[in-house]
Amino acid sequence: MFDVLQSFINAFGAATIVPVVIIIVALFLKVPFKKALMAGLNAGVGLQGFTLVLNSFTPIISPVIEGMIKNTGINLPTFDVGWQAASIVGYSTQSGMIFLALGIALQTILFLIKWTDVFQPSDLWNNYSYCVWGSMVYAVTKNMFLALGLMVLLNMYSLLFADILAPRWSKYYGYPNCTIIAMHNIEPTFFGIIMDPLLNKLGFNRIKLNPDALQKQLGMFGEPTVIGFVIGAVIGLIGNITQLNKISSWGTILTVGIATAAVMAIFPKIAGIFASAFTPITDAARKSATTKQASTREWYLAINDAAGFGESATLTTGLLLIPIMVFLAFILPGNETIPVIDLVAIPFMVQALVAISNGNMAKVIVNGAIWFSLGLYVCTYTAPLFTKIAMDVGIALPAGAMLITSFNILGKPLILPIFLAFLSKNPLGIALSIVAYFGLWFLFKRNKKAIYDYLDRQAEKNLPNEGEM
């Protein structure tokens, strides 16, 4: 049964599952069949468009990043093999396969009983994030209940983060009633919320470093495509710094620049198609609320975070953080992890921080550098255990690497204490992890509107003012 379920998820990706969900929801809300069908098709076209762009961009920039790391001369024992390898590990273990079925049931039930307002089963693929952590617990404890308990609790935490972030993410990225849910990319939410007022006290909200302000102040040079070209070319230059006497190197530099500019230019157009899929549902829900003279439930569809990858502030800060994180990996005392493959995933990883700060790139860079640096230590700590289970399922170690990790999946400071509680089989630690979740969930439910209003007020402080930069 688990093999069949895994085959289903592999065969039908987000570009197929999300349109079906949208069509069903639209018909349930009495949207005419033609509009419901077009909404579903637009969602599928948008998601497939995101995938095509990313699949074209990644092979262009990845070799340059690897060249950049080689040129720095960094030689650390733990090599980042990327989220793709981590997903294979997560879905190849016994505990991970069991959670495939358990997770879908849990996520559906929690939505139906209104425990959460996020419909998570529309983003099934990203469940591997929980599976990796649970698989490591099972590898040590041989206790399936502990492994499944950890995965369920992490899923509950990610739903809580998604509930908190959903309106802000939806508003900033322009996708009506949508949000991201992947644990590995929504995890910085609390950190971003806590840091935002602290950075304001330091004056970061007065640094209007966001796409709109840059375009207004710099004119043509503030255009997203120009910024993308410059940043891409700089990364290409660093990656080829030792071979600038070759024409092929300059060709690579310009190719990376053009490719990055292309992502900046193409993504908003694809995003517009994707966003149009949700208009009929939103309109139908509003009409229903008016008819009943009562507010209907405000809920959010979980979508793949590829939808936010190419947004100007997201991609710009993600690319700027690539050389920053390589430099920090080199100088951080006690760190043994060199981020490599998952450096391309940083635009996925910063989306919560971008939405919370309303695109203030100065804040995102500072928050990202701090949080992801802590993540490097988590990768260093968990690498021996992850390497063991990865080798057990057939993942080969890269040449010269003693240990492997995934910077995106395992570099999660907030998950570490929960993971350690279950790994140690400490009843007190496990109980505290559970109590902390229910305490946070209760506080959120009791103060939901106040929290949303607070996040919007904080976001407005980052809006560009006339003549200010």
Side-chain angles (χ1 to χ4, degrees):
M1 182 185 74
F2 298 127
D3 289 335
V4 172
L5 185 57
Q6 185 177 13
S7 298
F8 174 83
I9 291 175
N10 291 335
F12 298 95
T16 302
I17 294 173
V18 171
V20 171
V21 171
I22 288 176
I23 291 172
I24 292 172
V25 171
L27 292 175
F28 179 78
L29 291 172
K30 299 180 180 180
V31 173
F33 177 77
K34 182 180 178 180
K35 285 188 176 181
L37 180 62
M38 288 306 301
L41 288 176
N42 283 338
V45 168
L47 286 173
Q48 192 62 48
F50 293 138
T51 301
L52 291 173
V53 172
L54 287 173
N55 287 347
S56 299
F57 182 59
T58 302
I60 293 173
I61 196 170
S62 292
V64 174
I65 292 173
E66 291 180 16
M68 178 178 63
I69 291 167
K70 288 180 182 177
N71 293 337
T72 61
I74 300 175
N75 184 21
L76 296 171
T78 301
F79 186 88
D80 163 33
V81 294
W83 62 265
Q84 298 93 331
S87 69
I88 294 172
V89 173
Y91 283 146
S92 298
T93 63
Q94 184 181 1
S95 56
M97 293 182 71
I98 291 175
F99 186 76
L100 283 179
L102 177 62
I104 294 171
L106 172 72
Q107 294 153 12
T108 304
I109 291 170
L110 290 176
F111 177 76
L112 292 176
I113 65 173
K114 300 185 179 181
W115 186 270
T116 176
D117 290 323
V118 174
F119 184 71
Q120 184 173 357
S122 50
D123 190 26
L124 292 174
W125 167 251
N126 279 312
N127 280 347
Y128 70 83
S129 185
Y130 317 112
C131 298
V132 171
W133 293 95
S135 297
M136 290 193 293
V137 165
Y138 182 72
V140 172
T141 65
K142 303 303 179 185
N143 188 319
M144 187 61 72
F145 290 106
L146 279 177
L148 293 175
L150 172 64
M151 290 185 276
V152 167
L153 185 58
L154 290 180
N155 199 161
M156 303 280 278
Y157 270 105
S158 72
L159 281 167
L160 176 59
F161 299 160
D163 273 325
I164 293 171
L165 185 67
R168 181 97 290 278
W169 191 95
S170 176
K171 185 178 297 184
Y172 179 81
Y173 285 97
Y175 300 119
N177 292 90
C178 293
T179 187
I180 56 173
I181 184 62
M183 183 69 184
H184 42 281
N185 293 329
I186 204 170
E187 182 253 6
T189 297
F190 276 2
F191 178 73
I193 293 173
I194 292 170
M195 285 293 292
D196 199 70
L198 297 179
L199 291 177
N200 285 349
K201 289 185 179 296
L202 296 174
F204 274 76
N205 60 310
R206 294 193 294 273
I207 305 175
K208 304 302 181 182
L209 192 61
N210 56 45
D212 290 339
L214 287 177
Q215 193 167 347
K216 182 183 293 184
Q217 297 294 327
L218 301 179
M220 181 190 76
F221 295 101
E223 291 283 346
T225 50
V226 176
I227 293 172
F229 174 78
V230 171
I231 293 175
V234 169
I235 290 176
L237 184 66
I238 297 172
N240 290 274
I241 197 71
T242 61
Q243 303 179 64
L244 296 182
N245 59 329
K246 297 181 180 179
I247 294 179
S248 59
S249 297
W250 286 101
T252 299
I253 293 168
L254 293 176
T255 298
V256 174
I258 292 294
T260 308
V263 174
M264 290 284 206
I266 295 171
F267 247 80
K269 294 178 174 60
I270 301 174
I273 296 173
F274 185 63
S276 69
F278 302 94
T279 302
I281 294 176
T282 304
D283 291 344
R286 286 172 181 165
K287 288 179 182 177
S288 176
T290 303
T291 302
K292 295 177 182 177
Q293 295 183 342
S295 59
T296 57
R297 177 186 184 188
E298 185 82 5
W299 65 278
Y300 294 82
L301 185 73
I303 60 174
N304 193 282
D305 24 33
F309 182 95
E311 188 273 329
S312 296
T314 305
L315 185 57
T316 301
T317 51
L319 293 176
L320 289 173
L321 278 165
I322 289 175
I324 292 173
M325 291 315 303
V326 172
F327 173 73
L328 290 173
F330 179 70
I331 67 169
L332 287 172
N335 171 57
E336 297 180 357
T337 297
I338 177 65
V340 183
I341 307 300
D342 274 343
L343 286 173
V344 182
I346 293 181
F348 292 109
M349 299 162 65
V350 298
Q351 288 184 38
L353 301 176
V354 172
I356 290 166
S357 68
N358 211 26
N360 186 320
M361 293 188 284
K363 286 184 176 181
V364 178
I365 290 171
V366 171
N367 285 336
I370 295 171
W371 197 244
F372 300 154
S373 293
L374 294 176
L376 289 174
Y377 287 111
V378 180
C379 287
T380 298
Y381 180 82
T382 57
L385 186 50
F386 178 76
T387 303
K388 178 182 181 303
I389 63 171
M391 294 179 68
D392 287 344
V393 300
I395 302 294
L397 267 66
M402 295 173 59
L403 300 169
I404 58 174
T405 187
S406 167
F407 177 51
N408 185 15
I409 307 305
L410 293 172
K412 304 300 162 193
L414 206 59
I415 294 179
L416 183 64
I418 304 171
F419 167 70
L420 291 177
F422 281 81
L423 188 71
S424 65
K425 299 187 285 189
N426 186 315
L428 179 59
I430 294 172
L432 287 174
S433 300
I434 296 172
V435 169
Y437 164 76
F438 281 100
L440 290 170
W441 179 86
F442 178 78
L443 286 173
F444 167 69
K445 286 293 184 179
R446 189 173 182 179
N447 302 282
K448 183 161 65 172
K449 187 179 184 304
I451 291 172
Y452 290 159
D453 290 343
Y454 168 78
L455 292 177
D456 282 341
R457 288 197 306 272
Q458 289 296 108
E460 288 174 1
K461 294 178 181 178
N462 298 285
L463 291 174
N465 298 322
E466 189 70 32
E468 186 178 4
M469 177 68 179

